[in-house]
């Protein structure tokens, strides 16, 4: 993969992240509930009565508890993917502090994303989401570090 394509992937993924966070809270919540409902229906991991309209509107229902963690996992995953794409791009520049730069850029994107949500209808901006996003980026960096260390070990053996 060349520099231009790797940069394009970073830009596209950042636009995807901002696209999701620019949706109104109602739209975003409804979309994630639909995805979760369809997943639950196809996998049969919850009894059918948990997917009724009443259960979906009850904030204390099992469905809504799962939905909360589903949305938080989405935050984490978005930035894990962003960190992997960033590392892929930054490797062309052979930066000594590539991993710290990746985490820093992901953190800045997360802060800008949360500020954007302050001005989006029916959305809230949470510091905990920034921390979760940054944690996703850190895990992405750790995955790459572990893979590259394993690769070096394998090269020494061969």
């Amino acid at each position: 993969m060349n520099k231009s394509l790797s940069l394009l992937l970073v830009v596209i993924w950042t636009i995807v992240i901002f696209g999701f966070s620019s949706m109104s809270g109602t739209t975003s919540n409804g979309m994630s509930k639909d995805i979760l409902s369809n997943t639950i229906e196809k996998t049969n991991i919850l009894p059918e009565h948990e997917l009724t309209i009443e259960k979906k509107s009850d904030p204390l229902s099992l469905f809504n508890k799962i939905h909360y963690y589903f949305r938080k996992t989405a935050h984490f995953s978005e930035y894990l993917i962003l960190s992997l794409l960033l590392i892929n791009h930054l490797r062309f520049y052979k930066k000594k502090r590539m991993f710290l730069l990746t985490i820093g850029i992901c953190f800045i994107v997360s802060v800008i994303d949360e500020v954007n949500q302050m001005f989006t209808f029916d959305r809230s901006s949470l510091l905990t989401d920034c921390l979760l996003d940054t944690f996703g980026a850190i895990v992405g960096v750790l995955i790459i570090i572990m893979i590259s260390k394993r690769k070096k070990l394998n090269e020494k053996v061969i």
Side-chain angles (χ1 to χ4, degrees):
M1 179 179 310
N2 64 31
K3 276 189 214 181
S4 299
L5 180 57
S6 67
L7 179 60
L8 180 63
L9 291 174
V10 169
V11 170
I12 288 171
W13 190 249
T14 304
I15 290 169
V16 167
I17 290 172
F18 280 94
F20 284 137
S21 67
S22 295
M23 293 177 182
S24 73
T26 306
T27 302
S28 174
N29 202 36
M31 188 171 81
S32 63
K33 279 187 174 184
D34 286 346
I35 292 168
L36 183 60
S37 286
N38 289 335
T39 304
I40 289 171
E41 285 173 10
K42 285 181 176 45
T43 58
N44 293 319
I45 58 173
L46 280 181
E48 245 181 73
H49 73 274
E50 282 294 331
L51 299 175
T52 63
I53 292 171
E54 296 80 29
K55 288 288 186 176
K56 287 181 182 176
S57 60
D58 175 10
L60 299 176
S61 71
L62 180 57
F63 176 83
N64 279 309
K65 289 177 185 175
I66 292 170
H67 182 246
Y68 172 81
Y69 289 106
F70 179 74
R71 288 182 66 87
K72 296 305 172 185
T73 301
H75 267 276
F76 176 89
S77 301
E78 286 174 342
Y79 284 84
L80 184 143
I81 293 168
L82 180 61
S83 72
L84 297 175
L85 293 171
L86 269 168
I87 289 169
N88 183 53
H89 179 66
L90 293 174
R91 72 185 165 87
F92 289 106
Y93 300 98
K94 299 189 189 305
K95 295 280 186 188
K96 288 185 180 180
R97 301 198 188 327
M98 175 175 59
F99 297 127
L100 287 176
L101 185 59
T102 297
I103 294 167
I105 291 170
C106 286
F107 175 74
I108 291 167
V109 170
S110 175
V111 169
I112 294 169
D113 187 38
E114 289 301 314
V115 169
N116 177 50
Q117 285 186 31
M118 291 170 70
F119 301 102
T120 304
F121 177 72
D122 205 19
R123 293 297 289 258
S124 60
S125 178
L126 299 170
L127 175 62
T128 53
D129 284 349
C130 278
L131 296 175
L132 188 58
D133 297 341
T134 305
F135 183 62
I138 290 169
V139 170
V141 165
L142 291 174
I143 288 169
I144 294 299
I145 289 171
M146 289 180 354
I147 289 171
S148 60
K149 285 190 179 204
R150 178 138 183 139
K151 210 176 191 180
K152 285 179 186 173
L153 279 172
N154 286 343
E155 287 172 2
K156 285 181 182 179
V157 171
I158 295 174

